[in-house]
Amino acid sequence: MRQRGKGASLKSNSSSSASGETGNQENNGGRGSDVLKDKNVVLIATRSTYVVFTLFVLVIYGGWGVYHYQFESLPAPLALEQVGKRGFSEHEAMKHVEALTRLGPHPVGSEALESALKYVSEAAEIIQKTAHWEVNVEVDLFHVKSGANNMVGGLFKGKTLVYSDLNHVILRITPKYASEAGERAILVSSHIDTVFAGEGAGDCSSCVAVMLELARGVSQWAHGFKNAVIFLFNTGEEEGLNGAHSFITQHPWSDTVRVAVDLEAMGIGGKSSIFQAGPHPWAIENFASVAKYPSAQIVAQDIFSSGAIKSATDFQIYKELGGLSGLDFAYVDNTAVYHTKNDKLKLLNSGSLQHLGENMLAFLLHAAASPNLPESKAVESDLESDQEKAIYFDIMGTYMITFRQRFASMLYNSIILQSLLLWATSLLMGGYSAAISLALSCLSLVLMWIFSISFSTAVAFILPIISSSPVPYVSNPWLVLCLFGAPALLGAFIGQHFGYIILKSYLARTFIERRRDLPANLHTSLAKLDAERWLYKSGLVQWLILLMLGNYYKIGSSYLALAWLASPAFAYGFLEATLSPTRLPKPLKTATLLIGLSVPFILSSGMVIRLSATIIGTTVRFVRNPGATPEWLGNAIVAIFVAAVVCLTLVYLLSYIHISGAKVPLIIATSFLFVISLLAVWGGVVPPFTEDIARAVNVVHVVDATGINGGNPEPVSYISMFSTASGDLIKEADHIGEGFVCGRDRYLDFVTFSVNYSCWTDKKAETGWLKSDVPAINVVEDTRGENRETQIVIDTGVSTRWSLGINTGEIEDFQLKDADSEELIPLGEKSSIDGWHTIQFSGGRKAPTKFHLSLFWSRNGTQTTSARDERLLRLRTDVVDRVTQPVEKILRKLPPWCSLFGKSTSPYTMAFLSSLPVSL
């Protein structure tokens, strides 16, 4: 046995023993303790700086590599000659996208939408003529006179969405000689209409194009089907899912649907991924078995269903109203262009349509030939059916895993019980010292989270001060890594290091008390090694807690907690662990980290990067009520998300740094990245928005007639500009000129939302509209008494898109009819938000503009005197296909980094405001 003399340094990287003496002690069953009594032995616990930084490089490049392979590797687009009659050709689908985008924006009520409908119907008729001779292809041009959606969940709470004069194209494919197939159908749905601000290459001309090409291919296969396939090309989706609602409630084919598939876009291009499935697992399980390029993450479903994303798709109608199960797909690349001018053809990635088309064609051919479509149309809600919910995720876009919640619960419970048993056994054998060590290692976790969130969130308050835009990273998402990731990592390390110091001090004292036979100069080094191990194991505790919570609440993405717990725990148990309290600690092996993190990084790194990009992109429309949200809030959400990712995924890696020489270089490197990125933002080197990634704004010619009832004889007219992205508009107003004044002096109530901060100008605002365009609210009868009833006629003039707020503090119930006395909204209980129920109406060019509203007053008003709103009705009407001359001039001067933004609650470029007071 060899010994080193006094002052000798036994340095080791993580794959070797900390000292020859420690290793010999273990190899000789503890006899090495005689050697360690030699006072000349010196043990230095250290790890190579190069090893630590190599691990960081592997994490960064490995995570990016997984993301690229999982989400950016698209199949080559194929031509019709390559796929034949029965295959899917992106080249053919792109012809449809090009034709639809050439029409420009085509919202409900526009002439362009009529042209788009004509194009789709003609393409459907060509499919009908060229179908296989044993296949029936029916094309139905479905006209909806009127309807009302009074769903109360999610975005529908406090609203009734009324629609009129909508047109859809419906194509049904069935085998000629299997008449029973028409009684069971798979629905594939998307929408033709776009918002007024963009041509809709992604949302959702790409979906319509995929459906037309799918229908062409399916029409050549359907002679062997056992079920029908229905393709629904609807309109009105952008105004509140009205197309899907009208089909489910009014079309006779809706009763035959057993499975619904919705195609959507929250961006443009990339891989179209499944972000909602169920409630019955049949569809997702069958998709997983046949998809060529599977892309599906239940994490997205958990986030979407939580309400964190304020949006809805047609799938909600099919699931909640139709009682159907199925799949919901969406493109989410470049989500910052969603509903803006940049949803354009040139940003649609090559291979995007091929990816979705091949996956969908394989699924439809399999599903349409299956005799086992789900029969039940009831939405599952009891405990038994909840246990049958599918958990699903893809592995690098190549393989797809699905299993039921029942199996997941058994697996999670097993892992949780085993983990608790191991921890209990370890603590019992380790005694009081082990329990204190565990508590102090958990303290390091708490400090890590506190410091990481604090450092990262501090940046959220700095950015609005030094930058022209509070969100300067939208067009360059990599900035988030430097602006928030660097301080989050630095904070996590510093917080954990404080915990490490406290833990090391405690362990050094325990070694002195417990192992008095060891040389005094070994106590500190051994404490460092033991503290490192406890920090690693604290990461296991963190993920064990998350797995327990996820299992309790039946969260589908709990499989990630399982991976981050089981894989590192297995690596530790296989290479490191012992329950014997007498063995002296060694440095953690590098192999332990590499083996332990390989599986969870493959499963989650790509998804985390994609989710980060989506969150960053949504900041351009983060502010739902312009001016009502603090400028730092959006940044704070991004900062907390980044800090959480750092603390959750790097907790094991950070534990390797504390005994290495990488501490100072890590602090310097993260500080350098942060300072450089901050200087780039402060100096304007990196623009927050570009022509392709634009800031979402709205320019509206407002004619405000709300003051007429207060004695003002004439409406007030002005041009208003506001933004759904954080930050003021002074730079944009200066760029435009035209006398814009910015501030909070002109509050705007658009019924569906409010504007607290805006820019406005009165320059030539009196032109472009007539008094006859102003909507009229006339009281024709007011019967007072115990049961007060008021009859009102509303004339929306030239508008077929309007929003009406009804004061439910004064009105108990109401009924709405059109001019022909057709009931649109019946009497019955109405939900409300903040004392108001809102009617959102949208219709085609032939939709009615005169309505009868019956108001039934509450016997005892629910509003207190101090909170009483003096308005009984609030009305906003929008004019489609009209841009006044002053607005047109402003739009021409609008900076290239800005784009109009459209959504169902936003006004068009011309809006009229009116109201009716409570004191009629």
Side-chain angles (χ1 to χ4, degrees):
M1 181 182 299
R2 292 190 304 163
Q3 287 183 238
R4 293 181 182 264
K6 183 177 181 180
S9 174
L10 295 177
K11 296 183 179 180
S12 169
N13 64 24
S14 61
S15 61
S16 61
S17 175
S19 70
E21 287 74 22
T22 304
N24 286 334
Q25 180 196 15
E26 293 171 351
N27 293 334
N28 292 283
R31 289 173 295 173
S33 60
D34 294 335
V35 177
L36 291 177
K37 291 178 182 179
D38 191 331
K39 304 299 182 182
N40 293 329
V41 177
V42 176
L43 175 64
I44 300 178
T46 187
R47 176 175 287 107
S48 169
T49 301
Y50 299 107
V51 170
V52 172
F53 274 91
T54 300
L55 290 172
F56 270 102
V57 170
L58 284 175
V59 167
I60 294 172
Y61 278 93
W64 185 258
V66 170
Y67 168 74
H68 177 77
Y69 190 87
Q70 185 171 7
F71 293 109
E72 293 190 335
S73 298
L74 295 167
L78 301 177
L80 185 61
E81 295 77 16
Q82 295 172 280
V83 301
K85 287 184 177 182
R86 294 185 167 192
F88 184 93
S89 165
E90 178 172 307
H91 288 185
E92 295 300 303
M94 283 299 294
K95 294 177 183 177
H96 301 307
V97 181
E98 291 168 359
L100 291 170
T101 54
R102 274 198 301 269
L103 299 173
H106 35 280
V108 170
S110 66
E111 289 185 6
L113 182 58
E114 300 298 321
S115 299
L117 279 162
K118 181 180 178 182
Y119 175 84
V120 173
S121 64
E122 289 175 351
E125 288 170 359
I126 292 174
I127 293 170
Q128 183 181 40
K129 293 175 183 177
T130 58
H132 190 279
W133 66 274
E134 292 187 13
V135 172
N136 276 328
V137 177
E138 302 166 81
V139 178
D140 182 21
L141 305 180
F142 180 48
H143 176 259
V144 181
K145 183 179 179 183
S146 64
N149 178 2
N150 57 2
M151 293 176 65
V152 296
L155 296 178
F156 297 99
K157 185 178 180 181
K159 294 181 181 178
T160 300
L161 295 106
V162 183
Y163 49 87
S164 177
D165 188 36
L166 296 183
N167 293 284
H168 316 313
V169 178
I170 309 175
L171 185 150
R172 182 167 70 168
I173 301 175
T174 55
K176 269 186 182 176
Y177 305 112
S179 57
E180 68 281 0
E183 299 303 313
R184 299 183 306 274
I186 300 128
L187 175 69
V188 185
S189 171
S190 191
H191 61 95
I192 304 173
D193 61 307
T194 71
V195 295
F196 78 95
E199 62 190 37
D203 185 20
C204 212
S205 295
S206 59
C207 311
V208 171
V210 167
M211 286 171 57
L212 286 171
E213 179 61 7
L214 283 172
R216 183 196 61 78
V218 168
S219 69
Q220 305 299 323
W221 287 92
H223 53 284
F225 285 1
K226 294 182 174 64
N227 311 296
V229 180
I230 297 173
F231 293 92
L232 169 62
F233 304 88
N234 69 62
T235 63
E237 191 273 347
E238 297 292 6
E239 298 299 334
L241 318 183
N242 296 330
H245 184 274
S246 62
F247 173 80
I248 286 295
T249 57
Q250 299 188 39
H251 199 280
W253 290 350
S254 66
D255 291 335
T256 68
V257 177
R258 295 293 175 266
V259 175
V261 179
D262 180 49
L263 306 184
E264 256 296 351
M266 292 181 63
I268 183 170
K271 289 189 174 181
S272 183
S273 301
I274 295 173
F275 71 102
Q276 291 190 94
H280 195 285
W282 185 92
I284 190 67
E285 289 175 346
N286 280 269
F287 176 85
S289 67
V290 298
K292 190 174 181 180
Y293 312 106
S295 184
Q297 295 290 342
I298 197 171
V299 176
Q301 177 172 313
D302 288 340
I303 294 172
F304 196 83
S305 60
S306 71
I309 298 177
K310 303 297 182 181
S311 186
T313 70
D314 285 341
F315 190 71
Q316 182 177 349
I317 297 291
Y318 301 137
K319 184 174 69 171
E320 296 181 11
L321 189 63
L324 300 169
S325 295
L327 307 172
D328 202 1
F329 290 81
Y331 291 110
V332 295
D333 274 17
N334 290 322
T335 187
V337 311
Y338 175 71
H339 282 194
T340 69
K341 68 177 182 180
N342 292 315
D343 187 2
K344 53 191 175 184
L345 186 61
K346 78 170 190 176
L347 296 182
L348 185 57
N349 297 335
S350 177
S352 299
L353 306 189
Q354 193 70 43
H355 173 265
L356 174 59
E358 290 200 45
N359 282 340
M360 276 298 301
L361 183 60
F363 172 72
L364 290 177
L365 296 180
H366 176 78
S370 172
N372 301 315
L373 292 184
E375 291 295 332
S376 173
K377 295 183 66 177
V379 176
E380 303 178 36
S381 58
D382 59 11
L383 180 62
E384 179 66 23
S385 58
D386 190 51
Q387 290 293 323
E388 296 303 312
K389 180 183 74 173
I391 312 297
Y392 58 89
F393 56 91
D394 70 272
I395 301 176
M396 299 182 69
T398 304
Y399 303 100
M400 189 165 170
I401 306 297
T402 63
F403 50 91
R404 304 283 180 95
Q405 181 63 51
R406 186 187 303 278
F407 173 77
S409 298
M410 293 171 57
L411 178 62
Y412 300 161
N413 284 329
S414 174
I415 296 297
I416 290 169
L417 290 174
Q418 291 180 59
S419 299
L420 293 176
L421 180 61
L422 285 172
W423 274 109
T425 305
S426 179
L427 293 176
L428 285 173
M429 295 183 67
Y432 178 79
S433 173
I436 298 298
S437 299
L438 175 62
L440 292 177
S441 66
C442 290
L443 174 63
S444 74
L445 276 180
V446 174
L447 293 174
M448 177 182 70
W449 278 87
I450 291 174
F451 276 71
S452 183
I453 292 176
S454 299
F455 280 32
S456 186
T457 306
V459 183
F461 295 93
I462 295 173
L463 289 180
I465 299 174
I466 67 168
S467 172
S468 61
S469 171
V471 286
Y473 43 79
V474 176
S475 62
N476 295 280
W478 59 268
L479 271 176
V480 170
L481 187 65
C482 301
L483 288 173
F484 298 109
L489 176 59
L490 181 61
F493 169 69
I494 291 175
Q496 193 187 62
H497 193 67
F498 278 143
Y500 165 80
I501 292 172
I502 298 171
L503 179 60
K504 181 189 68 175
S505 299
Y506 171 77
L507 291 172
R509 293 195 300 271
T510 61
F511 273 116
I512 293 174
E513 297 173 359
R514 185 162 50 92
R515 298 301 300 269
R516 297 182 183 275
D517 57 324
L518 297 179
N521 51 23
L522 288 181
H523 292 149
T524 301
S525 293
L526 291 174
K528 289 180 179 180
L529 297 177
D530 206 19
E532 178 187 58
R533 289 174 170 269
W534 276 107
L535 291 183
Y536 182 95
K537 290 186 285 187
S538 71
L540 301 176
V541 174
Q542 173 178 258
W543 284 106
L544 174 60
I545 293 171
L546 290 176
L547 179 61
M548 293 169 68
L549 290 173
N551 184 47
Y552 180 80
Y553 290 105
K554 300 294 184 293
I555 299 173
S557 47
S558 298
Y559 76 92
L560 290 173
L562 174 68
W564 281 96
L565 169 64
S567 184
F570 170 80
Y572 187 87
F574 186 70
L575 297 174
E576 309 279 357
T578 175
L579 294 179
S580 172
T582 62
R583 293 184 64 179
L584 296 180
K586 300 181 297 181
L588 289 170
K589 297 179 177 65
T590 303
T592 302
L593 193 70
L594 294 176
I595 294 173
L597 298 189
S598 58
V599 171
F601 258 90
I602 288 173
L603 288 179
S604 60
S605 56
M607 179 270 299
V608 166
I609 294 174
R610 185 178 177 93
L611 182 58
S612 301
T614 303
I615 292 174
I616 293 167
T618 58
T619 56
V620 301
R621 53 185 183 275
F622 173 75
V623 183
R624 298 188 67 82
N625 296 299
T629 303
E631 292 185 345
W632 50 263
L633 184 58
N635 287 331
I637 292 173
V638 174
I640 292 171
F641 172 79
V642 171
V645 169
V646 168
C647 292
L648 289 171
T649 62
L650 298 184
V651 61
Y652 300 111
L653 177 56
L654 289 175
S655 67
Y656 274 62
I657 301 176
H658 304 287
I659 66 169
S660 75
K663 294 187 287 294
V664 173
L666 176 67
I667 294 173
I668 293 174
T670 52
S671 301
F672 177 77
L673 287 173
F674 171 66
V675 171
I676 289 296
S677 62
L678 209 61
L679 290 174
V681 170
W682 177 68
V685 176
V686 182
F689 301 102
T690 65
E691 187 171 355
D692 285 340
I693 306 294
R695 178 178 188 174
V697 299
N698 286 93
V699 178
V700 185
H701 194 150
V702 178
V703 179
D704 188 349
T706 56
I708 292 179
N709 292 307
N712 295 334
E714 299 292 336
V716 177
S717 179
Y718 51 89
I719 314 299
S720 177
M721 179 171 66
F722 51 89
S723 177
T724 55
S726 300
D728 61 49
L729 289 163
I730 295 174
K731 181 179 179 182
E732 288 77 8
D734 290 344
H735 186 280
I736 296 171
E738 298 300 321
F740 270 108
V741 178
C742 300
R744 295 176 174 270
D745 301 331
R746 183 161 274 177
Y747 173 81
L748 276 172
D749 182 358
F750 282 114
V751 182
T752 50
F753 71 99
S754 61
V755 175
N756 293 274
Y757 174 88
S758 65
C759 299
W760 63 89
T761 179
D762 300 325
K763 190 174 181 180
K764 296 184 178 180
E766 70 281 358
T767 63
W769 58 276
L770 302 171
K771 285 187 178 181
S772 59
D773 296 335
V774 178
I777 307 176
N778 297 313
V779 178
V780 296
E781 185 179 353
D782 185 23
T783 305
R784 297 175 180 264
E786 184 178 354
N787 297 314
R788 185 179 179 184
E789 180 180 340
T790 303
Q791 301 295 327
I792 292 174
V793 173
I794 298 175
D795 186 349
T796 61
V798 294
S799 174
T800 58
R801 184 185 194 259
W802 49 268
S803 298
L804 178 70
I806 299 176
N807 187 338
T808 55
E810 304 290 344
I811 301 303
E812 184 176 286
D813 201 357
F814 63 87
Q815 181 185 49
L816 182 70
K817 297 181 179 180
D818 63 17
D820 296 327
S821 297
E822 180 177 346
E823 186 177 66
L824 300 176
I825 302 178
L827 294 173
E829 185 177 351
K830 312 290 194 309
S831 61
S832 64
I833 295 180
D834 298 328
W836 291 89
H837 184 93
T838 302
I839 302 172
Q840 285 183 221
F841 181 95
S842 62
R845 301 172 67 80
K846 297 179 181 179
T849 57
K850 291 185 179 180
F851 304 89
H852 297 284
L853 180 64
S854 300
L855 301 178
F856 299 89
W857 293 68
S858 175
R859 295 184 182 181
N860 297 307
T862 57
Q863 296 181 352
T864 63
T865 303
S866 60
R868 185 184 181 92
D869 197 308
E870 296 302 324
R871 295 168 298 173
L872 183 67
L873 302 177
R874 301 177 297 151
L875 177 65
R876 182 192 91 221
T877 60
D878 301 324
V879 182
V880 183
D881 281 350
R882 185 196 293 185
V883 179
T884 62
Q885 187 176 0
V887 169
E888 186 177 11
K889 186 175 182 181
I890 291 169
L891 292 179
R892 286 200 302 267
K893 292 184 176 182
L894 196 67
W897 66 83
C898 291
S899 170
L900 297 182
F901 174 68
K903 60 180 179 179
S904 62
T905 54
S906 294
Y908 281 4
T909 52
M910 179 110 197
F912 295 85
L913 304 179
S914 187
S915 65
L916 188 69
V918 171
S919 55
L920 299 179

